Amino acid sequence: LTRDQRWGYRHRICDTWKKMRTENPAMEWLKLDSATELEDMLIKTQNDFVSQMDLGEGIALNEALRENLFMLLVSIMNQIPILLIGKPGCSKSLAMNVLQSNLNGDVSSKEFFKSMPAVDVVAYQCSPLSTPEAIINAFNSARQSNIGNKRTIVCVLLDEVGLAEESPHLPLKVLHREL
């Protein structure tokens, strides 16, 4: 979404929340009176999580990286498929690498992450030559590598997925079944 669309979305969330609060006083604990308050709360929450991560030397935390890290963390921990879409250089792959290096389960370097499962990534580099079988194999490899291990979440990373759209084999159709 564009910045304006995101602002409008936050505004609608606040309007809906206000209506729900008036109907149910038990929801009074969270005051979202304006889109600005919601944005401030989201940024604070993102910073709270990201501040626990070792980004690596020479990596600057910018808005795109902060948001990508947070959304990936929430989605992976809840095992919700997520598509990160953006122009080259907007921290999509970097965010996944940073998460993978921080989420190591019991052996994580930060106490905060020791209670979380480890994350293992099965990466598949998409191209105009990608086939449905190759993408299915990536998902099968992820399932196989996680048999019996409840403390590890295995993710499939389809890098440069836009390139697979150019394939005459229509490999992305298998995602309907996999996701």
Side-chain angles (χ1 to χ4, degrees), residues 33-53:
D33 293 327
S34 72
T36 302
E37 284 181 21
L38 176 57
E39 181 179 33
D40 291 345
M41 182 191 64
L42 286 171
I43 291 171
K44 182 191 179 313
T45 303
Q46 291 168 359
N47 282 327
D48 288 347
F49 277 91
V50 173
S51 69
Q52 297 295 319
M53 297 180 192

Side-chain angles (χ1 to χ4, degrees), residues 15-27:
D15 289 345
T16 302
W17 190 259
K18 283 181 209 173
K19 289 176 191 170
M20 292 170 64
R21 264 191 11 223
T22 58
E23 295 167 8
N24 184 354
M27 298 174 73

Side-chain angles (χ1 to χ4, degrees), residues 122 134-147 154 156:
V122 174
I135 291 177
I136 288 171
N137 286 342
F139 281 93
N140 287 339
S141 292
R143 280 191 278 277
Q144 287 290 16
S145 69
N146 200 32
I147 292 177
V154 180
V156 175

Side-chain angles (χ1 to χ4, degrees), residues 117-129:
V119 171
D120 191 15
V121 177
V122 174
Y124 176 76
Q125 180 63 48
C126 295
S127 78
L129 302 175

